[in-house]
Amino acid sequence: EVQLVESGGTLVQPGWSLRLSCTASGFTFGDYGMSWFRQAPGKGLEWVGFIRSKTYGGTTEYAASVKGRFDISRDDSKSIVYLQMNSLQGEDTAVYYCTRLRGVSQWPPQYWGQGTLVTVSS
Amino acid sequence: DIQMTQSPSSLSASVGDRVTITCRASQGISNHLAWFQQKPGKAPKSLIYAASSLQSGVPSKFSGSGSGTDFTLTISSLQPEDFATYYCQQYNSYPLTFGGGTKVEIK
């Protein structure tokens, strides 16, 4: 059974940094691209970014709203994908979801974690 | 960026009703369209990919159609567990973008 468990969400002040983790199980983690999405309170879904598998270079893509501030990385030996968030602002307040793609490099996401809440407030 | 427009933004329906939600892309996206279901306080659930293919385990009462710019999600016979918010998403090009959602409520 595929499982994705996010952790690291908490309350931080504007300008601070935070790293989220997503621990995966139930599949060969290194074979799959992984993506992060977020949902601000009472709002719709927003794509944050994506990291390809090492087979496809392990490269990343980001939404314009986070590019240059957020960084996605992966540790295939631990089956974890990270979301490093810097210079956090109020508009980054959201539930952050980790997802696994449908195929090794095939969108859309098929599996979602339960989400972790990040609150940015002074 | 490709804009995704869903309609309606909300609808009221009864158990047993046939429900159709539409999604329009601001430019052609071939069949690179997915649908998701989200219940309050829960993570989204993947329903459909490639506009009309059901994700594994999704019941056949859900169906999708369309190509290019116009797409539909149909629920053939609405059941109590189907009351939720539904989102379309294009994955034809980055940045990936979502429709605004359609909230399906009980009449």
Side-chain angles (χ1 to χ4, degrees):
Chain A
E1 178 193 8
V2 172
Q3 286 197 319
L4 302 170
V5 179
E6 302 95 336
S7 60
T10 189
L11 170 64
V12 297
Q13 294 188 15
W16 285 23
S17 296
L18 187 66
R19 189 178 79 165
L20 305 182
S21 300
C22 170
T23 302
S25 60
F27 63 100
T28 305
F29 179 79
D31 286 350
Y32 287 83
M34 302 292 292
S35 188
W36 288 91
F37 293 81
R38 67 184 180 181
Q39 187 170 36
K43 301 298 184 182
L45 296 166
E46 180 186 16
W47 173 67
V48 172
F50 162 63
I51 185 166
R52 296 174 178 84
S53 66
K54 293 289 197 297
T55 300
Y56 289 87
T59 52
T60 53
E61 306 284 347
Y62 297 98
S65 59
V66 306
K67 194 170 186 178
R69 298 189 300 125
F70 288 15
D71 180 65
I72 300 174
S73 60
R74 61 190 300 156
D75 185 337
D76 291 352
S77 68
K78 296 181 179 178
S79 297
I80 298 177
V81 59
Y82 301 101
L83 178 63
Q84 176 68 42
M85 304 184 292
N86 302 320
S87 303
L88 284 162
Q89 301 301 320
E91 54 265 34
D92 297 315
T93 294
V95 174
Y96 285 75
Y97 295 102
C98 165
T99 69
R100 194 207 84 175
L101 267 60
R102 181 177 67 86
V104 293
S105 66
Q106 292 176 296
W107 290 102
Q110 183 175 7
Y111 298 98
W112 296 67
Q114 86 286 352
T116 188
L117 176 62
V118 173
T119 304
V120 183
S121 176
S122 54
Chain B
D1 298 2
I2 298 174
Q3 308 302 315
M4 305 300 293
T5 303
Q6 271 183 252
S7 60
S9 57
S10 65
L11 64 90
S12 295
S14 300
V15 172
D17 283 354
R18 179 182 180 92
V19 168
T20 298
I21 298 168
T22 66
C23 180
R24 175 165 289 175
S26 60
Q27 63 190 74
I29 59 170
S30 184
N31 68 337
H32 300 145
L33 192 282
W35 290 96
F36 302 92
Q37 176 196 64
Q38 188 178 33
K39 297 180 180 179
K42 300 295 186 182
K45 175 184 176 182
S46 303
L47 297 177
I48 287 174
Y49 66 96
S52 60
S53 297
L54 288 182
Q55 290 279 14
S56 175
V58 173
S60 59
K61 62 181 171 181
F62 293 97
S63 63
S65 65
S67 184
T69 61
D70 294 312
F71 302 87
T72 61
L73 171 70
T74 299
I75 308 171
S76 60
S77 177
L78 204 62
Q79 297 302 305
E81 63 269 21
D82 302 328
F83 291 94
T85 299
Y86 294 84
Y87 295 94
C88 62
Q89 179 209 36
Q90 69 80 20
Y91 52 95
N92 188 71
S93 62
Y94 297 109
L96 309 185
T97 48
F98 287 88
T102 297
K103 187 174 184 179
V104 177
E105 299 176 299
I106 301 173
K107 182 183 285 185

